[in-house]
Amino acid sequence: MPVLPELLAANQTYAAGFAKGDLPMPPARKVAVLTCMDARIDPAKALGLEEGDAHVIRNAGGLAAEAIRSLAISQELLGTREIVVVHHTDCGMLTFTDEVIRGRLAASLGEEAGAAAAGMAFLPFADVEESVRRDVAAIAASPLIRPDTAVAGFVYDVKTGRLTPVE
Ligand SMILES: [Zn+2]
């Protein structure tokens, strides 16, 4: 059973009580959060964010490599000035290699997928703290990010909901 009907029903309820239609586009708290797409992380709840407060950029791993475009837009056009990078324990990105996912895509989707996957870096990593350090450094070093930006990095523990800073 597809889940879409349930999503649409939930949206009806949400929209019926919606009272935040007049928020300005620029995030009120001038912060962009970069984190993993992991279903166990709710950045709004975990960080106390309301609608209109922040940009939340998500991808597999919460990786800077895919986020510089969004962060540059966030800063230059929408005025954010702080960046918070949050990777997490038990991340799916720790569980495979490029070879593994390329092989699986080729096996499940066929030759064309295999060829497409061969040219793609899926960016798995072996150490969460190290990936945070690398991404904080990559963001700070990007010419598209304002040099005065405070970039902070954390590991979120999916067992406790707690953030631990990465120095
Ligand atoms: Zn993850």
Side-chain angles (χ1 to χ4, degrees), residues 35-41 59-62 87-94 125:
T35 194
C36 186
M37 66 186 187
D38 193 287
R40 296 165 293 182
I41 303 173
N59 60 45
H87 297 180
H88 66 98
T89 60
D90 197 38
C91 187
M93 298 295 283
L94 297 161
F125 50 81

Side-chain angles (χ1 to χ4, degrees), residues 57-162:
I57 300 154
R58 303 188 73 165
N59 60 45
L63 298 187
E66 271 176 16
I68 295 295
R69 178 187 71 90
S70 299
L71 290 169
I73 291 167
S74 176
Q75 292 203 326
E76 189 59 32
L77 301 182
L78 293 161
T80 60
R81 291 295 178 263
E82 283 180 66
I83 296 172
V84 181
V85 177
V86 180
H87 297 180
H88 66 98
T89 60
D90 197 38
C91 187
M93 298 295 283
L94 297 161
T95 66
F96 67 93
T97 63
D98 269 338
E99 296 321 301
V100 166
I101 189 164
R102 285 172 183 149
R104 286 187 56 152
L105 285 164
S108 60
L109 297 175
E111 205 174 300
E112 199 178 331
M120 182 173 286
F122 291 87
L123 308 175
F125 50 81
D127 181 312
V128 175
E129 286 194 15
E130 188 49 42
S131 74
V132 171
R133 263 185 224 105
R134 187 174 52 229
D135 276 9
V136 166
I139 292 166
S142 171
L144 299 176
I145 300 301
R146 296 172 64 90
D148 59 346
T149 304
V151 187
F154 297 85
V155 173
Y156 174 88
D157 188 329
V158 296
K159 297 282 188 216
T160 65
R162 206 172 287 279

Side-chain angles (χ1 to χ4, degrees), residues 7-54:
L7 303 184
L8 296 177
N11 178 254
Q12 295 263 320
T13 306
Y14 177 74
F18 191 72
K20 294 191 174 178
D22 294 323
L23 294 171
M25 188 191 298
R29 296 171 76 182
K30 299 188 187 301
V31 63
V33 178
L34 170 60
T35 194
C36 186
M37 66 186 187
D38 193 287
R40 296 165 293 182
I41 303 173
D42 184 331
K45 285 185 191 159
L47 300 173
L49 298 169
E50 303 286 338
E51 292 93 334
D53 275 351

